[in-house]
Amino acid sequence: MTEAYTVFNLVETSDKIFIYPSGGNTVSEIIVINRVTDEISLSNNASQIQSVDRIRTIQIVGITGVIHLIGGPYLLVIKSKVRVGEIRSHVIWQAGEYEVIPFKRTNLHLAKNQVDYNATYLDMINTVLSTPHFYFSHSYDLSHNLQSLDSNSPEFFKQSILERADGRFIWNHSLLTTFNNMVERGQKTKKHHRFCIPLIHGFAAVSNMTANSRQFKFILISRRSWKRAGTRLFSRGIDSSGSVSNFVETEQIVEYDGDMTSFVQIRGSIPLYWSQRPNLRYKPKPELLQHNNAEAYSKHFNELFLHYGKIVCVNLINQTGSEGSLHVAFKDQSEESSIPNTRYEAFDFHHECRKMNWGRLEILMNRLEGEVQEFGYYIRSRGQIHIQEGVFRTNCIDCLDRTNVVQGMLARINLNNALRRMNILMDGERIENYPDLEYSVKNIWADNGDVISTEYSGTGALKTDFTRTGKRTYLGALQDGYNSAVRYLKNNFLDGFRQDAIDLFVGNYSVKVKEGVDVPSPLENRTMKRYAPALFLLVSIAVWAASVISYFWNRDSPPEYLVYVLFWGLMTFGTGGYMVYFGTEFVDNPVLTDTPKTM
């Protein structure tokens, strides 16, 4: 594999953009972007950047891709990075600051409404880029877990990281396609792979830990799939290709004295056609859609088997109430499909752990104990390899809060086994015998849960007090109440825009040429009219509250003042009731796609 560059200079002139490696005495490869024709080419003519009239020169980490908007193509680059740690002596980075650079220097060729639409699209791109977190490495393939990497042939590693990456997890895959047409001396070339950075979205942490005076490296990586990506209430269930919403592969790695272990778990939305669109109610009722689930369900699990081997589906949703129909449908589909090497395990988390009796989670761990031993985990030690033969596929309704708790418990069982196998812990010892070690591991897992939750729902995870401390607390319950309120507001009034932003970023929607002039723009449907009742409701609440306070503050208020209070009270409740009854009309709905498509 040709080594990738790590730092570049970007030079802007009036008619070109030059990008070339920084730090060398000679410049042998230059990406040249023609701002007039939009052509991208590779050149080795270093003299062309010596005498140009430069607008500016900046240093960048790499290229994220190109997106085509109404104003023309835009170049996305990473300007800074934050060191996360090392895996196998390869540095892992978190992307820091980005910049979106237009090929065209002005918008004078656009009509006024096009300028506004273009600015909205740019806001969408920046919304995705500002969502924590994107990760990359210049020399390590972050998109594959250790077992997947080590099972490949030497020919596989002769490819660039971009060529061999697991396409499920590369969020800027669509943005990089423009460079597939890059030419060098009239011929297509793949040398752009040395400039371009494939990004994974999710979580990554690397921490040095100690037990029994033995220092080891603890690594946690979560890889979110871009397929059927979206926000909490706008992206649910499965599509016709077998992809599910909020699919995440999480890998726990231990590295010690040249030996490595890896334990992989996955999560993903219930693999049926269902939706739960926001409607201003606190918890919209999930709705099973009238589709034949069998084909998509089989595609989903057949692909999982190819990647991971045997599957145990751990379903944590409520078995009664609004979630009950999903539980029955998932169970029935599992029995009907009878897919080999899969098993369905239902555990009503909320019922079993009611009244903060979370010790009952051990019931679930006991049920899974056989597969914990059977599946094992990946081990590479002194040239010997043992593979992980299956994974636990855990879900709740969101695949966030309850899922985080159960995945954390399974990971802790694995970590105890791995540390004892590597002789870091002695026989009979557990990480609980080392409070500092236990505290660090629990907090990394809780951080992972918070970040995955923020990426999907807009807030940190619920129930993280248990993940961090092993106990459910009243303070944690209060924090859950706050996060739930923020989720409600974001899911109802902000997530339509965020869903559109994700669809634009991953390539589910392509901006049309002449959009807003010769072709209608879907952004025309993003109107403020739907917020008029909400604004009136807020005004009514404010006036009513002021009236009530004034009435009781001044006991000498005339009787007609009470009528005033009652009037605004009725207006408040009347407007609120009207909005809830027609709730779907007042939420912030996406406009770019059928969100997300099921067929």
Side-chain angles (χ1 to χ4, degrees):
M1 182 191 74
T2 305
E3 186 176 352
Y5 300 124
T6 59
V7 184
F8 305 88
N9 289 327
L10 184 150
V11 176
E12 279 194 77
T13 71
S14 60
D15 60 348
K16 287 185 174 65
I17 298 174
F18 301 98
I19 304 170
Y20 57 93
S22 175
N25 294 324
T26 59
V27 178
S28 59
E29 292 181 340
I30 309 167
I31 285 183
V32 182
I33 298 173
N34 190 314
R35 305 182 88 162
V36 178
T37 65
D38 298 339
E39 183 185 53
I40 303 176
S41 60
L42 190 75
S43 172
N44 59 4
N45 180 11
S47 63
Q48 64 184 315
I49 60 175
Q50 302 301 324
S51 57
V52 294
D53 185 12
R54 303 186 180 200
I55 297 174
R56 65 167 181 161
T57 301
I58 60 172
Q59 199 167 76
I60 64 171
V61 174
I63 297 172
T64 304
V66 170
I67 188 157
H68 297 263
L69 304 180
I70 299 174
Y74 285 77
L75 177 69
L76 282 66
V77 299
I78 303 173
K79 294 178 66 177
S80 65
K81 57 188 178 182
V82 179
R83 194 177 192 275
V84 175
E86 293 184 10
I87 301 177
R88 289 177 165 173
S89 300
H90 299 277
V91 181
I92 308 305
W93 301 96
Q94 177 185 306
E97 184 183 1
Y98 304 86
E99 186 168 345
V100 182
I101 304 171
F103 283 22
K104 309 299 181 186
R105 292 193 59 201
T106 74
N107 282 333
L108 295 178
H109 59 294
L110 302 180
K112 183 183 184 305
N113 65 326
Q114 288 184 301
V115 173
D116 294 338
Y117 294 153
N118 196 68
T120 299
Y121 284 132
L122 287 172
D123 286 343
M124 289 179 181
I125 295 300
N126 286 316
T127 293
V128 176
L129 293 176
S130 63
T131 302
H133 293 292
F134 287 96
Y135 299 91
F136 65 93
S137 173
H138 295 291
S139 56
Y140 184 81
D141 184 357
L142 268 181
S143 68
H144 285 89
N145 57 59
L146 282 181
Q147 181 167 308
S148 175
L149 277 177
D150 289 352
S151 64
N152 280 289
S153 67
E155 295 299 316
F156 174 81
F157 292 97
K158 291 180 181 178
Q159 302 176 91
S160 69
I161 292 176
L162 186 58
E163 288 175 294
R164 69 175 191 247
D166 187 333
R168 297 175 298 164
F169 303 121
I170 303 303
W171 271 60
N172 58 328
H173 72 286
S174 177
L175 302 177
L176 292 171
T177 55
T178 297
F179 287 91
N180 293 339
N181 297 318
M182 191 173 77
V183 296
E184 180 184 21
R185 298 189 185 94
Q187 301 293 321
K188 285 190 177 182
T189 177
K190 292 184 178 180
K191 291 183 180 178
H192 66 282
H193 291 182
R194 302 174 70 179
F195 295 76
C196 297
I197 294 178
L199 296 173
I200 70 164
H201 195 215
F203 178 82
V206 179
S207 179
N208 292 317
M209 299 184 180
T210 303
N212 286 321
S213 300
R214 295 176 174 88
Q215 188 176 83
F216 64 95
K217 194 171 290 183
F218 178 85
I219 303 165
L220 190 65
I221 302 172
S222 282
R223 307 169 176 97
R224 297 188 72 218
S225 173
W226 64 268
K227 297 183 177 182
R228 201 164 173 76
T231 60
R232 176 175 172 252
L233 293 182
F234 285 118
S235 183
R236 296 295 210 193
I238 199 168
D239 64 20
S240 59
S241 70
S243 300
V244 296
S245 300
N246 200 24
F247 182 85
V248 185
E249 175 189 284
T250 299
E251 180 181 20
Q252 177 176 273
I253 299 171
V254 176
E255 186 174 349
Y256 173 67
D257 194 26
D259 295 344
M260 300 196 76
T261 68
S262 162
F263 178 61
V264 172
Q265 301 182 70
I266 57 176
R267 71 178 77 190
S269 190
I270 294 170
L272 305 172
Y273 289 108
W274 65 284
S275 69
Q276 194 180 17
R277 300 297 289 261
N279 58 7
L280 296 188
R281 289 174 172 81
Y282 175 70
K283 188 175 182 180
K285 185 178 180 179
E287 177 186 358
L288 284 163
L289 304 179
Q290 297 303 310
H291 291 298
N292 186 346
N293 291 297
E295 183 178 357
Y297 186 92
S298 296
K299 285 181 180 179
H300 177 67
F301 283 100
N302 288 337
E303 182 180 4
L304 291 186
F305 180 75
L306 289 175
H307 285 289
Y308 305 108
K310 299 175 183 177
I311 311 291
V312 172
C313 301
V314 184
N315 184 12
L316 304 175
I317 66 173
N318 301 343
Q319 296 178 13
T320 58
S322 62
E323 297 179 8
S325 60
L326 285 175
H327 158 68
V328 172
F330 193 179
K331 180 175 181 294
D332 289 350
Q333 189 62 57
S334 174
E335 293 173 352
E336 178 185 325
S337 297
S338 297
I339 297 175
N341 299 303
T342 65
R343 184 173 79 82
Y344 176 83
E345 179 68 56
F347 183 82
D348 190 331
F349 189 108
H350 285 153
H351 176 74
E352 295 289 346
C353 302
R354 61 193 182 278
K355 298 181 180 179
M356 291 190 168
N357 190 12
W358 285 39
R360 293 181 61 81
L361 286 167
E362 289 301 326
I363 295 173
L364 176 61
M365 294 300 107
N366 291 335
R367 291 183 193 170
L368 302 178
E369 184 177 2
E371 278 96 359
V372 169
Q373 300 301 322
E374 178 189 352
F375 292 171
Y377 51 97
Y378 179 69
I379 306 167
R380 188 181 186 93
S381 175
R382 304 296 186 267
Q384 296 189 356
I385 293 177
H386 298 273
I387 66 170
Q388 181 176 340
E389 296 185 356
V391 296
F392 296 97
R393 182 202 188 279
T394 308
N395 72 267
C396 48
I397 199 73
D398 297 325
C399 304
L400 295 177
D401 313 315
R402 289 169 278 185
T403 298
N404 292 334
V405 172
V406 170
Q407 284 199 341
M409 294 182 72
L410 288 168
R412 194 155 61 250
I413 293 171
N414 164 261
L415 185 59
N416 279 314
N417 292 337
L419 293 182
R420 284 194 289 266
R421 186 182 183 100
M422 300 171 99
N423 294 319
I424 296 172
L425 295 181
M426 301 298 103
D427 289 342
E429 283 191 322
R430 301 171 58 85
I431 63 171
E432 289 83 352
N433 300 128
Y434 299 88
D436 290 344
L437 171 60
E438 182 187 23
Y439 174 84
S440 297
V441 170
K442 283 182 174 179
N443 274 278
I444 289 175
W445 265 96
D447 291 343
N448 172 73
D450 277 338
V451 170
I452 296 299
S453 178
T454 299
E455 291 163 347
Y456 187 50
S457 74
T459 74
L462 311 184
K463 303 176 177 66
T464 52
D465 55 328
F466 183 85
T467 310
R468 292 185 190 278
T469 67
K471 299 177 181 178
R472 194 70 170 111
T473 65
Y474 288 103
L475 184 62
L478 288 174
Q479 181 64 41
D480 286 357
Y482 171 78
N483 281 343
S484 295
V486 175
R487 273 188 193 180
Y488 172 83
L489 294 172
K490 287 189 173 184
N491 295 167
N492 282 280
F493 301 115
L494 298 175
D495 274 359
F497 182 88
R498 200 159 67 94
Q499 179 70 54
D500 281 338
I502 293 169
D503 284 330
L504 179 65
F505 190 88
V506 302
N508 291 340
Y509 177 78
S510 298
V511 177
K512 300 173 182 65
V513 178
K514 301 293 185 181
E515 187 174 299
V517 177
D518 297 337
V519 179
S521 172
L523 296 182
E524 294 171 6
N525 299 319
R526 183 166 288 285
T527 173
M528 292 298 293
K529 291 180 181 178
R530 72 185 65 168
Y531 300 121
L535 181 60
F536 182 77
L537 176 62
L538 292 175
V539 171
S540 299
I541 292 173
V543 174
W544 182 47
S547 302
V548 171
I549 293 171
S550 299
Y551 179 78
F552 286 102
W553 186 268
N554 184 5
R555 295 288 182 172
D556 298 327
S557 299
E560 59 267 23
Y561 205 85
L562 181 59
V563 176
Y564 185 68
V565 171
L566 292 174
F567 171 79
W568 281 105
L570 288 172
M571 292 297 292
T572 298
F573 285 101
T575 306
Y578 174 82
M579 289 184 61
V580 170
Y581 186 79
F582 296 100
T584 55
E585 298 297 321
F586 300 110
V587 299
D588 180 34
N589 286 298
V591 298
L592 297 189
T593 64
D594 178 13
T595 51
K597 294 180 179 178
T598 58
M599 302 299 289

